[in-house]
Amino acid sequence: ASSAAPLVLHVGDTFGDRSLLEPGASPYTVRAESSVTLLELSRAAFEAFVQESPDVAAELPARISRHREFEFLKRLRIFSHLAPGQMEQMLDVLPRQSFAARTVIFREDDPSDRCYLVRRGRIQLLKHVGGGVKRLATRRDGDLVGEMELLYGTPRIADALAESNTDVLVLSPELFNRFMPEGGPRDVI
């Protein structure tokens, strides 16, 4: 069983929205630590709404996906300084990229022209030492890869290899500086 850190929901947050669009059991357990008031949207009510509003229904998967991306970014310390509007701007401009398992993302000594934020999957950082290869670290969901080289303008210090199928958000130097200006946010790195 996975031992992922719990996600704390706040007023206005939602959960279970994906379960309305995709069949199957929910992959999460939800537990209240205090008294809460929830508004429930039953599957029957949701399906009736979809029948009555096909235009809105066609947009729901994209809206739910964007909401998930927004919530993902909101939970990361490196972006905690951003206002919701800035987070929305970030979602509008950040390119996404996918790598199949065992794909080399970059090689040691390559120029550093971007860094990556792992959205899903794992990336191994590998250093060539003598005649062998040493694993320096494994980056997971929410981790940055290549940010130090981008900050200091140095070549890559290691190979980055997708350990599993991996989705990333790509930060160019311009986007990195725009959303993580000098000072506070960079201190987290």
Side-chain angles (χ1 to χ4, degrees):
S2 175
S3 60
L7 170 64
V8 177
L9 299 174
H10 302 282
V11 173
D13 288 343
T14 63
F15 63 91
D17 42 5
R18 190 168 65 190
S19 297
L20 292 172
L21 296 174
E22 300 169 1
S26 172
Y28 306 105
T29 299
V30 179
R31 180 174 57 92
E33 292 187 350
S34 63
S35 296
V36 296
T37 301
L38 298 174
L39 300 175
E40 178 186 7
L41 177 62
S42 69
R43 180 171 296 282
F46 174 74
E47 289 173 356
F49 170 74
V50 168
Q51 291 296 320
E52 293 172 14
S53 310
D55 293 345
V56 173
E59 295 177 23
L60 282 175
R63 284 184 179 206
I64 288 172
S65 176
R66 184 172 175 96
H67 179 71
R68 263 184 283 174
E69 295 290 310
F70 181 90
E71 291 298 317
F72 169 75
L73 293 175
K74 185 173 89 171
R75 288 190 295 271
L76 300 178
R77 280 187 49 199
I78 57 172
F79 299 122
S80 62
H81 67 285
L82 295 176
Q86 292 173 300
M87 196 99 43
E88 290 289 343
Q89 289 174 0
M90 192 168 151
L91 284 172
D92 289 339
V93 297
L94 274 184
R96 281 107 174 120
Q97 195 167 355
S98 296
F99 297 99
R102 309 299 305 158
T103 299
V104 174
I105 299 168
F106 57 76
R107 295 197 180 278
E108 187 174 348
D109 295 322
D110 281 352
S112 301
D113 60 348
R114 68 193 68 171
C115 71
Y116 302 92
L117 174 62
V118 180
R119 180 62 184 99
R120 284 181 203 86
R122 290 182 308 279
I123 296 175
Q124 294 180 11
L125 299 178
L126 306 168
K127 180 82 172 165
H128 297 274
V129 180
V133 177
K134 179 179 179 182
R135 182 187 306 199
L136 299 178
T138 300
R139 300 289 186 237
R140 295 174 173 76
D141 300 10
D143 289 339
L144 284 171
V145 176
E147 74 284 2
M148 297 309 288
E149 297 96 333
L150 193 65
L151 272 173
Y152 296 109
T154 61
R156 302 291 185 188
I157 61 169
D159 291 353
L161 177 73
E163 181 179 304
S164 61
N165 291 339
T166 301
D167 297 325
V168 298
L169 302 174
V170 182
L171 287 136
S172 66
E174 175 198 357
L175 293 175
F176 187 83
N177 290 326
R178 179 174 167 191
F179 295 110
M180 297 200 328
E182 296 290 334
R186 290 193 184 191
D187 293 344
V188 174
I189 297 172

